[in-house]
Amino acid sequence: MAGVPPRANLQPLALHVPEPRFRPGDAVDFVDVDVPPAGSVRRPDIADDAKSFTDLAYTLVRVLDDDGNAVGPWDPRLPPELLRRMLRSMALVRAFDERMFRAQRQGKTSFYMKSLGEEAVAVAATYAIDRDDMCFPSYRQQGILIARDWSIVDMMNQIYSNSADRLQGKQLPIMYSVKDASFFSISGNLATQYPQAVGWAMASAAKGDTRIAATWCGEGSTAEGDFHSACTFASVYRAPVIFNVVNNQWAISSFSGFAGAEATTFAARAVGYGIAGLRVDGNDALAVYAATAWAAERARTNQGPTLIEHFTYRAEGHSTSDDPGQYRSAGEPNAWPLGDPVKRLKDHLIALGEWDDDRHAAQDLELAEYVKAAQKEAEKNGILGHGLHQPLDTLFDGVFEEMPWHLREQQAQMMAEEETSGRPWDRKS
């Protein structure tokens, strides 16, 4: 600054630029990741004051140990039948992802996002809340719909934007909207679902209802203003909402350090707002279930919101438009110390004597055939890019509850143009 004498005895100011530990070609070593023993983290009462367990935002809630046993105070003690249903849903998500990934590579749709390695975050959490609790997902929570037994043919119709797409091609592929499954419309604008979830939860409480809301975002999205606005409202009004932060280490090609991971945990965001914060092993389905069930009971008994950081890893690219080999080591997915969520739940069922490798292989084959048949059914309704699958005048539908005058006018002009020109606006080619 002009006129200010230099301070010769001080070092020049400098900024810290976060840098991922591993780049393409590097050997991977995750020894710096602190993984406490399964069962070692305490479980507070759901009515405890949030400030009395801030330590839980800095550790890792874990239930499954290395031998597949469920241990410690967070063990939800689920019946084997429920465990098998959760395993099947997670395996179905994986089979669905693989089939749709290949469909995109075959040019049948423009875009797809897999959740490989993150299946427990959506599936186990969904089983821990009620079916009519409202979910406000991000774009990697297809497991919510699958856990709620929604039709995968319907999901594929949306991906293909075909003639059976209930959204009439108005949403990008994978941005589902299913009111009947209490699944709010996915938005490509990051973190918008957070204040929406809080608003819905506040409305539920204002009406004296018993339903709560749950919402998901990635760790990178915690840098968005909407995230912090939502936390403020939820804290002030004790909104019955569960905030899920999926820390999969990468926000597209930016590693989690750019969102603040080098300074503290994402669960610690809760501490500043005075709300409950938990940090959970996101690849441990039982830990995800237990933490979500705990947070749901807390919300349902008017104890306020909970923020859960799911510590996990994005095993593949951000989307089919992304090549992770350009910015991270190829060895990272296999070196991730928390393992594969599907395998860990499978191993737990085997340890209980309720499952075996042959049954698991048979289930994988069955699900692969099931998804293949569903794909054939969906493709009878068309695939993206092969003609106009919806009548053109439907572009005016489903946008406003009551169509405003200027859109009615434009629709009438379009129909008049069709009559005078003879052009079939609703043609399929």
Side-chain angles (χ1 to χ4, degrees):
M1 183 184 300
V4 177
R7 296 176 174 86
N9 61 327
L10 296 179
Q11 292 291 326
L13 295 173
L15 293 174
H16 168 69
V17 179
E19 180 72 20
R21 289 194 58 204
F22 314 114
R23 288 294 192 181
D26 290 344
V28 177
D29 185 353
F30 280 116
V31 292
D32 63 320
V33 176
D34 185 18
V35 181
S40 62
V41 175
R42 68 187 183 93
R43 183 184 184 277
D45 187 86
I46 58 110
D48 285 355
D49 194 303
K51 64 176 176 286
S52 70
F53 53 84
T54 58
D55 56 303
L56 298 184
Y58 300 95
T59 182
L60 206 60
V61 173
R62 303 181 69 227
V63 173
L64 293 174
D65 65 17
D66 294 340
D67 297 318
N69 299 308
V71 296
W74 285 94
D75 177 10
R77 295 176 174 81
L78 301 179
E81 176 55 32
L82 178 54
L83 293 172
R84 284 192 291 267
R85 285 170 52 204
M86 286 171 54
L87 179 64
R88 181 181 178 84
S89 293
M90 290 165 63
L92 178 54
V93 171
R94 189 162 292 187
F96 180 84
D97 278 355
E98 185 57 36
R99 176 64 57 172
M100 291 295 95
F101 180 89
R102 279 188 279 165
Q104 191 278 335
R105 290 296 190 247
Q106 293 165 352
K108 296 177 178 179
T109 187
S110 61
F111 182 77
Y112 192 74
M113 303 181 79
K114 298 174 75 171
S115 60
L116 185 66
E118 302 176 41
E119 293 89 353
V121 170
V123 170
T126 302
Y127 276 99
I129 59 179
D130 291 347
R131 183 179 171 88
D132 60 354
D133 288 333
M134 194 67 184
C135 293
F136 293 78
S138 185
Y139 41 61
R140 218 182 299 275
Q141 279 78 58
Q142 54 266 49
I144 298 172
L145 287 174
I146 286 177
R148 287 182 168 172
D149 299 316
W150 193 254
S151 164
I152 63 171
V153 173
D154 183 78
M155 295 169 70
M156 290 175 178
N157 287 334
Q158 194 281 324
I159 291 167
Y160 290 140
S161 295
N162 61 26
S163 61
D165 175 14
R166 291 179 299 101
L167 306 185
Q168 298 178 312
K170 292 183 173 69
Q171 275 277 39
L172 288 170
I174 65 86
M175 294 189 178
Y176 317 103
S177 178
V178 187
K179 184 176 181 180
D180 290 344
S182 299
F183 185 98
F184 196 79
S185 304
I186 294 176
S187 171
N189 298 318
L190 301 180
T192 56
Q193 66 273 26
Y194 260 60
Q196 291 163 352
V198 174
W200 191 96
M202 290 174 63
S204 182
K207 292 186 296 185
D209 204 341
T210 59
R211 295 178 296 167
I212 65 171
T215 185
W216 287 255
C217 76
E219 83 282 352
S221 297
T222 63
E224 295 283 340
D226 279 348
F227 172 86
H228 297 281
S229 297
C231 288
T232 298
F233 271 81
S235 172
V236 170
Y237 295 101
R238 295 187 185 176
V241 62
I242 303 172
F243 296 126
N244 294 284
V245 176
V246 186
N247 178 10
N248 65 13
Q249 315 306 311
W250 292 94
I252 310 183
S253 58
S254 298
F255 89 113
S256 58
F258 282 103
E262 289 185 343
T264 188
T265 69
F266 292 98
R269 301 282 193 275
V271 176
Y273 290 101
I275 63 179
L278 300 174
R279 191 163 178 260
V280 175
D281 178 350
N283 289 20
D284 180 343
L286 295 192
V288 172
Y289 182 100
T292 305
W294 182 92
E297 186 178 0
R298 187 175 175 88
R300 232 181 287 278
T301 55
N302 296 312
Q303 303 300 318
T306 301
L307 189 154
I308 303 174
E309 175 189 349
H310 301 271
F311 194 60
T312 182
Y313 187 82
R314 195 193 76 207
E316 292 201 7
H318 174 73
S319 71
T320 49
S321 304
D322 177 44
D323 177 9
Q326 297 297 311
Y327 54 83
R328 73 183 188 189
S329 170
E332 285 193 28
N334 292 330
W336 183 245
L338 299 180
D340 177 344
V342 174
K343 182 179 184 302
R344 289 178 66 186
L345 184 54
K346 179 195 79 169
D347 290 346
H348 175 56
L349 275 162
I350 291 174
L352 292 175
E354 297 287 346
W355 200 243
D356 57 58
D357 287 323
D358 289 342
R359 290 172 71 183
H360 192 79
Q363 177 175 268
D364 280 345
L365 180 60
E366 174 208 345
L367 293 177
E369 292 299 317
Y370 171 66
V371 174
K372 182 179 179 181
Q375 182 185 26
K376 290 182 178 179
E377 186 66 25
E379 289 180 1
K380 292 178 182 178
N381 302 314
I383 58 176
L384 187 66
H386 284 207
L388 183 64
H389 296 298
Q390 300 284 343
L392 191 60
D393 63 346
T394 63
L395 67 87
F396 296 95
D397 299 337
V399 179
F400 295 94
E401 184 176 3
E402 294 185 14
M403 190 184 301
W405 68 268
H406 66 284
L407 290 187
R408 290 198 303 270
E409 186 177 271
Q410 291 174 30
Q411 185 181 42
Q413 290 173 349
M414 187 189 71
M415 300 303 292
E417 170 66 17
E418 177 184 358
E419 291 178 4
T420 58
S421 67
R423 284 184 289 177
W425 289 107
D426 63 345
R427 64 177 183 254
K428 298 294 179 79
S429 60

